[in-house]
Amino acid sequence: MNNQVRKKLGDLLIEVGMITQEQLDKALKLQKATGKKLGEILITERMVTQEDIIQVLEFQLGIPHVILEKYRIDQSACLLIPESIAKRYELIPIDRQSGVLKVAMSDPLNVFAIDDVAIYSGMEVQPVIATSDEILRAIDKYYGKQHALDAVEEFKKENESNIKIKLDNINQQSNEEVNNSPAVKLVNSVIEQAIRNRASDIHIEPFSKDIKIRYRTDGEMYEAMKTEIGIMGAVATRIKIISGMNITEKRAPQDGRFSVKVDGKEYDLRVSVLPTVFGEKIVIRIADKNAFVLTRDQLGFSREDQIKYENILKSPHGIVLVTGPTGSGKSTTLYTALSEISKPNINIITIEDPVECIIDGVNHVQVNNKTGLSFASGLRSILRQDPNVIMLGEIRDSETAQIAVRAAITGHLVLSTLHTNDAPGTVIRLMDMGIEPFLVASSLVGVIAQRLVRKICNNCKEKRLATDEELSLLEINKPIDVYQGKGCAMCNSTGYKGRIGIYEIMVLTKKHREIINRGCTEEELRIISQQNGMKSLKENAKILIKEGITSIEETLKIIFTNGS
């Protein structure tokens, strides 16, 4: 930024009384010594905030302010400017109309930046202001997809056999050669984009003529890109190398894992490779190490269920089970429970496959079938370690169930997960696994059944009257308002952003134990539980619908179809 422009920004801030002349002189000296932008120095020295500068530019000069997270950025506009220019000046083109290019800038007074953008694009530049953080996130998001497409073009220019030879001998290459190979660039770009799009899984799927790369975000799959089948071998080899698999084995399923750091956060990635007719399908599950521990409010419990949840965890011994299908958030609920229980005077040991989150003060054990460390054998060893609380990642078989029940009866609090559709069905499942009814009755403290539903995007949420069909599903006989998301830039036009849990908590009482002892049905358990105040998954779903947190359409797929 030149002196004239710096003086202009400084004068504006002095004019509105945000800084003094002495502060400006000090900032200009620092600017001369460091070469940093004046605005950056003023913010670092805490003379003003970024919001102060935005406010001055918006109201004094009439430069509009945009919130990029809410803006539907035109991808074709972005690509008119190289990424190097965008990063150098902290700007990103966001729209183009009638020869005018709208550009979001952290410093819209930078005439050099405006001139360079005008020269590169051949268009008139209309600056708008956005924060540095927003602009850098947008650059990573919108130029990232282009990196993947560029890498694919590199593949086309190279002979596929040469790529395979290069990747098979990758250990003999220099780091620079490896990092600059098209396979590495493409894999890195796909992973980074998935993480920035809040995806939980990446699916790389070979078909007869092309490869589909799909992401799962908030439980829903969508196609991120499609490219030619010819690059699949190189991509599969690269992923196998970094996740510790055998690159020569192409006919048997394999599993592996690795870690990456994106935008300063560390992520664990679990990889599964499965041979298909057209090649190896690869699924990468993304786990944010810090995303598993939430507060009770973030989990989505109602006030009533929060009290039940708290009372269950206060039990000195017994089994607490969290149930639901794969991907219903059971692990998150368990980790949140452990973080609440963890205290210096309590010995907590877990056995998991895999360990997804490390909690301070908790001893985590990883299942290793190669060394004979299974859930059952690990649990036996844990019992010799004087634990107060044991967390089992999953009760998979009758042997593990038997040991867990015995541990609960002998004075330990055991937390675990089980695959059942609802809370009452858990009791029947345990008995089906060979646990005697009297052992189930004496050991089980409570069951938390759960599902995850997508939350309506707050930015594009709109209200409407429920239809007659929807009122019938909700079992309501008077008109009510419901909500839906119409789709916007913040939610990638889906109408949803983020997920929340729906719960069904069954707390065992004396009546429960009596009917379990004599051999009861699932329906009998449900009736007694509801008489004892248990709200079903369906009832709690209705509350979230009425509060405008989720939609009827979303809960239909998960709750209303199974008659819960």
Side-chain angles (χ1 to χ4, degrees), residues 129-265:
I129 190 165
T131 66
S132 299
D133 288 345
E134 284 183 319
I135 290 170
L136 293 174
R137 281 198 298 270
I139 289 171
D140 287 336
K141 179 177 179 180
Y142 288 93
Y143 284 94
K145 187 172 182 180
Q146 191 60 36
H147 292 327
L149 296 173
D150 291 343
V152 171
E153 289 302 314
E154 284 188 58
F155 273 109
K156 291 178 184 177
K157 293 174 185 174
E158 292 192 24
N159 183 285
E160 190 184 351
S161 61
N162 290 338
I163 294 172
K164 287 179 180 176
I165 292 166
K166 187 187 286 186
L167 285 165
D168 288 344
N169 295 288
I170 204 163
N171 290 328
Q172 299 171 11
Q173 292 177 285
S174 69
N175 285 335
E176 186 177 352
E177 283 180 300
V178 171
N179 292 333
N180 288 327
S181 73
V184 173
K185 289 179 183 177
L186 179 58
V187 170
N188 289 350
S189 179
V190 166
I191 291 169
E192 286 170 11
Q193 285 306 294
I195 289 170
R196 289 178 182 133
N197 281 281
R198 302 179 299 106
S200 60
D201 301 87
I202 303 167
H203 290 246
I204 303 172
E205 304 165 311
F207 293 96
S208 58
K209 295 180 181 176
D210 52 39
I211 302 166
K212 285 183 182 176
I213 298 176
R214 297 194 291 168
Y215 299 155
R216 185 183 295 278
T217 301
D218 293 335
E220 293 291 315
M221 296 272 282
Y222 71 94
E223 190 174 299
M225 66 179 290
K226 185 190 288 187
T227 186
E228 287 113 349
I229 190 67
I231 68 171
M232 189 66 207
V235 170
T237 302
R238 173 59 187 167
I239 291 172
K240 285 179 181 178
I241 289 168
I242 59 179
S243 54
M245 297 183 199
N246 181 354
I247 61 172
T248 61
E249 178 57 74
K250 295 179 182 175
R251 290 191 258 179
Q254 294 191 71
D255 295 306
R257 65 188 302 168
F258 63 100
S259 295
V260 296
K261 202 167 190 176
V262 177
D263 300 333
K265 290 180 72 175

Side-chain angles (χ1 to χ4, degrees), residues 103-116:
V103 182
M105 307 175 67
S106 64
D107 181 7
L109 299 180
N110 189 336
V111 291
F112 294 134
I114 292 171
D115 286 347
D116 278 359

Side-chain angles (χ1 to χ4, degrees), residues 198 217-218 453-457 496-500 554:
R198 302 179 299 106
T217 301
D218 293 335
V453 293
R454 291 184 294 170
K455 295 193 291 185
I456 299 170
C457 173
Y496 298 95
K497 188 172 184 184
R499 289 192 289 176
I500 192 168
E554 181 65 10

Side-chain angles (χ1 to χ4, degrees), residues 93-108:
I94 59 175
D95 202 2
R96 57 190 294 190
Q97 282 183 358
S98 306
V100 177
L101 186 65
K102 186 183 286 186
V103 182
M105 307 175 67
S106 64
D107 181 7

Side-chain angles (χ1 to χ4, degrees), residues 35 45 50 54 63 81 104 138 148 203 206 218 244 273 283 331 353 369 384 399 401 421 446 458 471 486:
E45 293 295 312
Q50 191 155 36
I54 287 172
I63 299 172
I81 303 299
H203 290 246
D218 293 335
V273 174
V283 176
S331 295
D353 184 22
N369 291 316
R384 295 192 286 272
E399 184 186 8
N421 286 330
N458 282 323
L471 290 172
K486 62 182 180 181

